[in-house]
Structure formats: C-alpha cells, structure tokens
Amino acid sequence: GGGDLIGSGLTVEAANDGKTAAWHMHKYLQETAAEPQTVSAEPKLPMFYTPIDTVDISVDFCGMKFPNPFGIASATGATSSAMIARAFQAGWGFAVTKTFALDRDYVTNVSPRIIRGTTSGARYGPHQGSFLNIELISEKSAAYWISSIRQLKKDYPEHIVIASIMCGYSKEDWQELTIMTQEAGPDALELNLSCPHGMGERGMGLACGQKPHMVEDICKWVAEVAKVPFFAKMTPNVTDINDIAAAAMKGGATGVTAINTVSGLMGFKSNGDPWPSVGADRLTTYGGMSGNAARPMALRAVSSIANKLPGTPIMATGGCDTAAVAVQFLQCGASLVQICSAVQNQDFTVVQDYIMGLKTHLYMQSRPDLKEWNMQQPPVETTLQTGTLPRFGNFEQKRWQQRSAAAKANGVDTTPTPVTPAAPLNKIPRVNDIIGQVLHHLSNYNGLDNTAQKVAAVNDDICINCGKCYMTCNDSGYQAIRFDAETHQPFITDDCTGCTLCVSVCPVPDCITMVPRETEYSPRRGIPLGEPQVPVV
C-alpha cells in the first residue's frame, strides 16, 4: 500500500495512504474507461453494494412510516436533542426522548447511578451482559424538550420522534403535559408508567403502572386530548403484564411498549458496601436492570401480549443487541425495537449492523437456497459417528495415521467443485411480513406433547473429550452418561430422559444432538404410584 511505499510510521497513516492511492487508481480507471464515469473530486472510495443493500426495511406502524424499525429508547441515548440528532445521522429510524415531566415534578439525580452488570461474571469493558441504573427521568425542563422536538422535526422530517412523558395520578397534569407536548409536533407520545425506581416513591412511574385501573384511567385522560398516537410503556414488575396492557388498550392507548427495566439489586463488594453506593452512609436502592439479561423477560412480555391481545401495536425494548435478536422481537409480535444498553456498550454506529443484518435476513428469506439458514449460519450437515478415536494423546496420533492411510488408498480428488448458480429470487418480504411470525409456536404447557420423546446422541468424531456433559449430567441431571476412563469418550445410557442439559453445556456445536427416542419413555417414579412410603432404616 501507499504506507509501505513512503514509510509511514503509524498504522493509521499507512492505512490512509493506501486508501488514498487506491482512490487515485479508481479515479484514473473510471475516467479513462471506454465509457468514462465522473468521479467526485473528494477522495472517497465507493461502497461495496450487493442486492441486499436494496432491501426495503421501512415499517408502516399506526399510520406512521419508519425508515427502519430501530430506535433509541427513552434512556441514556436520548439524554439531549443533540444526541438524538447524532443518532439520526448514524442511521437510527426513530427516537424516544428521555422522559420529561411538568416543571413542578423536576428531578435531580444522585451519583454514581449507572453501573455494569455482574450477570456475566467479572467482565470489564464493553459487551456487558447487563447494566443497572438508578437514574431518574430527564433533569431537563419540559420547555427544553418541547423546543427540542420542534427543532428535531424541522431538521429530520423523515425520522420519527416520540415524546416520552410522565405525571402522577392526576388528570389535570396528564392532559396539561399532553397538550403542551403535542403542540411541538412529535409523531407520537409514550407514557412512562413503569420507571422502577425513584419516581414510584413520588406516585409516578411504577406506582401507576402496576395497577390496571390507574393505567386505564391515565390512558383515558390522555385519549381525551391526544391528537397523535400514544403508547403506554409497560413494567415487567407485575404478576401478569397482559392485565396492564389490556387496561391501557381499554383506556384508549394506541398500543404499548414492552418492557421497561427490571427492578433488581446488582450486588455488594466483599466488605458489604453496595454498588452503586451513594453518600457518606454508602446507601443504595433497587434499580432498573437492562441489557441482555432482561431479554427473556422482554421476549416473553412481547409474545404474550401479542398472543393474548391480538392486533395490539407493540414497540419492544429490553436486551436487543444484534439484528438476530431484533428479528426475534419482530417475530414475537413487535413492529419496532427500541435499544439502549447495546449503545452503552458501543456507540450509535451499532445501528448499521442491525440494518445490514435485517436486510440480509429478509433477502435470505427470498432465496430458497438460503431460507433454511439460521440467521447467517448455514445448516450443519454432519453424519452421526460413534466409535471413532478420541482427539488427544496417542489416540490423536492414530487418528492422523488412519486419515493419512485413507487418503493414500482413495487418492486425492482433483475434480473441481462445480459452482452452483444462485436460486431464483422469490418476493423479498418486508418487515411487516415477519411480525408475529412465531406466535403459533407458543403454547401453554398442557399443549406440549409428552409422547414425542427424544434422547441425546454424541457424535464421537467431533467430540473433544472434555467430559463436561458427563459432569453436568452426573451432578445436575439424571446420571445417564458414562465416561470411559481411558478414551474419555461419553456414552449415553438408557437412563437418558432427554432433559437436554448436555447439549446446553457442550462447547462443540452439534456434537450432541437430540434424536427421537426408539423405546417408550417410562418415567422412574422412585416409588411406584400408589405404593406406600418407605420407612426410615
């Protein structure tokens, strides 16, 4: 590259020199081609485009047109209008402002207040599995946010701006703030009825969102004056989130957002001090947990609402950190996905990964030869082999010798692999086409078939003989795996009940799979049903 030619001392400089040289070559080739092309005077290499880039991921939702289904949640990423503007520039389709209230309900935060999670162990740096915060709603005034909404809609008319508002259980307050806010021209409102810390002690947030009658009343009050769609933000800190969602819809809400953070306590230091620890007395309080650790609760809430209240417009939030996870939220019934913790782990540019990932998923659904891939992973076609040699010590040497002998006996196949032409494209689905796609797979427990039993099977050919399956089955399962002391190979016995623990802890993908049980499953009851208890001896 150019950096090598001129001896740039820094990697960054060398890379830049190489790119500059490449641009000049590109410019020369384009301008001297048989059909000359005009090239910008500014050194700028063209992007690499494929048919995937043309996939439409816009979303039609409650009368609004979203450029894409990815939005900044009402949280740290929306602390100011300048941050929201940068998010739009990075590619986010919409943003929900940080929650604001009437001036009489102003707040002042404590410090420290946003901490890394301990759910993934002693991990530092980015890629945290969770965060916990005790941050309140916006410290900025309603006047600031109303001015900001007006400016954002002027500067980014193609993007959707949703205003998040909060009041106590007061009709006058909710209607005053709703009227004041919608005059600024937001595309929609989000009613924060779910902040799990601080605001509940003031009779706001969680204090309202846990009681169906209060949620219904608040939505009725807002519906009386609202001229734009509005969504009630659900708390997961309830017995049945469907009751709260039903109350919001009964009150006139356009839809719901699920879920807010999960109330929790992240932990203590070894000396007993909490973290976060506030003030001279080192006090803490229960905060809101977000991130990947909250994802199973968010997926459950979204899918449950979509199943129990069909047709309810849903915005999902809670642990979306990849395009693959976003697809799962869409398939569970959400139309849009709000994101915060993933941005805290990185920055606003993560949205480009989500955009390309979603486009790729939709494109692959139109290709018969790619449709069965799991996201961007092709199906693994392995032949279940038993009795092959282990992969350590003298056994490994013997494996090599066997493979070498087989290669010599069979010769080397020099036949070129034929290029398989791409299958013809079917219609590329839109985002709206995959919303709720998996709901028919969800059932109550009694709907599951306990006669379709499976058992584990180990592929000895790819087993690394680590013994993890044996340890887990022995001390956490059903003692259904024998472990050979010499070869370190696991053997599944007839005691296997198909619990799938071994599959879950195996470090080798598809080394252990679940196969149909060939014999009738008869649970071991310990003492046969109807027999008396055994006396102590």
Side-chain angles (χ1 to χ4, degrees):
D4 296 326
L5 293 175
I6 67 172
S8 295
L10 298 177
T11 301
V12 173
E13 291 177 351
N16 183 68
D17 290 338
K19 290 178 180 179
T20 302
W23 177 80
H24 280 285
M25 288 186 280
H26 164 72
K27 185 173 186 293
Y28 173 79
L29 292 172
Q30 293 298 313
E31 293 177 344
T32 59
E35 297 181 8
Q37 302 293 320
T38 302
V39 178
S40 169
E42 177 187 359
K44 184 178 181 182
L45 290 176
M47 297 293 287
F48 178 73
Y49 288 101
T50 72
I52 292 174
D53 292 279
T54 64
V55 174
D56 180 12
I57 58 170
S58 63
V59 181
D60 299 310
F61 181 68
C62 298
M64 297 174 281
K65 182 82 168 182
F66 290 73
N68 61 62
F70 305 115
I72 296 296
S74 176
T76 53
T79 297
S80 69
S81 57
M83 293 173 70
I84 293 175
R86 284 196 289 110
F88 287 160
Q89 293 164 11
W92 295 85
F94 71 101
V96 188
T97 69
K98 193 159 175 60
T99 302
F100 59 94
L102 295 168
D103 287 354
R104 52 182 168 271
D105 292 320
Y106 73 90
V107 301
T108 301
N109 278 303
V110 298
S111 180
R113 60 181 179 271
I114 305 173
I115 65 169
R116 71 179 188 89
T118 57
T119 52
S120 299
R123 175 180 290 173
Y124 291 84
H127 307 298
Q128 293 295 322
S130 65
F131 291 91
L132 183 131
N133 82 87
I134 53 173
E135 182 162 289
L136 302 176
I137 62 174
S138 178
E139 293 178 321
K140 293 180 169 57
S141 66
Y144 168 87
W145 279 113
I146 289 170
S147 301
S148 295
I149 292 167
R150 191 175 288 115
Q151 188 66 48
L152 286 167
K153 286 306 300 179
K154 177 179 182 295
D155 294 342
Y156 303 94
E158 301 301 318
H159 291 73
I160 300 296
V161 177
I162 300 175
S164 176
I165 59 176
M166 178 189 287
C167 297
Y169 188 62
S170 165
K171 178 178 181 178
E172 291 72 22
D173 286 0
W174 276 106
Q175 293 192 339
E176 178 185 349
L177 187 56
T178 297
I179 293 171
M180 182 191 310
T181 302
Q182 67 185 4
E183 288 177 351
D187 297 281
L189 305 175
E190 184 176 88
L191 315 185
N192 188 339
L193 306 176
S194 47
C195 181
H197 49 269
M199 304 311 297
E201 298 167 24
R202 302 174 177 222
M204 306 165 76
L206 191 71
C208 299
Q210 289 182 323
K211 301 175 178 62
H213 73 277
M214 296 178 77
V215 171
E216 181 180 346
D217 286 346
I218 291 171
C219 289
K220 282 182 178 178
W221 300 335
V222 172
E224 289 176 3
V225 295
K227 298 178 181 178
V228 296
F230 70 93
F231 303 84
K233 191 168 186 178
M234 302 283 98
T235 173
N237 306 297
V238 291
T239 302
D240 189 348
I241 199 169
N242 296 304
D243 293 341
I244 308 300
M249 298 305 292
K250 185 178 179 181
T254 308
V256 299
T257 299
I259 56 175
N260 209 321
T261 52
V262 180
S263 182
L265 182 65
M266 196 53 76
F268 296 83
K269 298 179 180 179
S270 57
N271 65 357
D273 283 351
W275 186 243
S277 176
V278 179
D281 293 332
R282 300 190 298 279
L283 299 179
T284 194
T285 188
Y286 302 116
M289 183 189 69
S290 63
N292 295 0
R295 183 191 306 152
M297 290 166 271
L299 285 170
R300 184 200 184 283
V302 169
S303 60
S304 183
I305 293 171
N307 257 335
K308 296 292 180 63
L309 304 170
T312 299
I314 302 171
M315 290 191 284
T317 183
C320 180
D321 69 332
T322 64
V325 174
V327 169
Q328 293 175 42
F329 275 112
L330 297 171
Q331 291 173 329
C332 280
S335 299
L336 306 169
V337 184
Q338 300 178 16
I339 297 166
C340 169
S341 293
V343 175
Q344 292 179 167
N345 266 318
Q346 187 67 28
D347 61 14
F348 286 138
T349 61
V350 295
V351 72
Q352 290 301 324
D353 293 336
Y354 305 155
I355 289 172
M356 183 55 64
L358 179 57
K359 286 185 174 184
T360 301
H361 173 75
L362 295 175
Y363 174 80
M364 291 170 67
Q365 298 309 296
S366 71
R367 288 270 300 269
D369 56 332
L370 303 178
K371 192 172 184 179
E372 297 305 316
W373 286 33
N374 182 23
M375 299 304 164
Q376 296 182 41
Q377 298 296 323
V380 178
E381 297 181 4
T382 57
T383 302
L384 184 63
Q385 299 183 46
T386 58
T388 56
L389 291 171
R391 294 174 176 268
F392 67 93
N394 292 332
F395 297 112
E396 181 73 355
Q397 294 288 339
K398 291 180 181 179
R399 281 180 69 97
W400 292 341
Q401 292 169 3
Q402 289 178 353
R403 294 182 64 180
S404 177
K408 289 179 180 179
N410 298 326
V412 179
D413 185 4
T414 59
T415 305
T417 303
V419 177
T420 304
L425 283 178
N426 295 323
K427 180 182 177 182
I428 298 177
R430 294 194 57 205
V431 173
N432 289 84
D433 296 328
I434 67 172
I435 293 171
Q437 194 175 52
V438 304
L439 294 177
H440 67 283
H441 287 299
L442 298 173
S443 167
N444 57 31
Y445 189 85
N446 289 335
L448 304 181
D449 184 0
N450 65 3
T451 66
Q453 295 287 334
K454 292 190 175 185
V455 293
V458 179
N459 189 338
D460 290 337
D461 192 50
I462 58 176
C463 175
I464 62 173
N465 315 109
C466 66
K468 181 55 187 169
C469 58
Y470 166 73
M471 293 186 288
T472 298
C473 184
N474 198 52
D475 290 352
S476 301
Y478 294 83
Q479 299 78 55
I481 298 179
R482 287 189 296 107
F483 196 64
D484 188 281
E486 181 181 1
T487 66
H488 294 188
Q489 287 179 318
F491 298 92
I492 310 297
T493 72
D494 291 339
D495 292 332
C496 179
T497 66
C499 75
T500 325
L501 258 178
C502 57
V503 177
S504 301
V505 300
C506 179
V508 181
D510 297 306
C511 178
I512 307 178
T513 53
M514 302 302 293
V515 299
R517 188 184 188 93
E518 296 179 353
T519 59
E520 182 180 353
Y521 176 57
S522 179
R524 297 189 176 186
R525 306 293 183 184
I527 297 176
L529 300 177
E531 295 294 318
Q533 301 175 18
V534 176
V536 176
V537 295

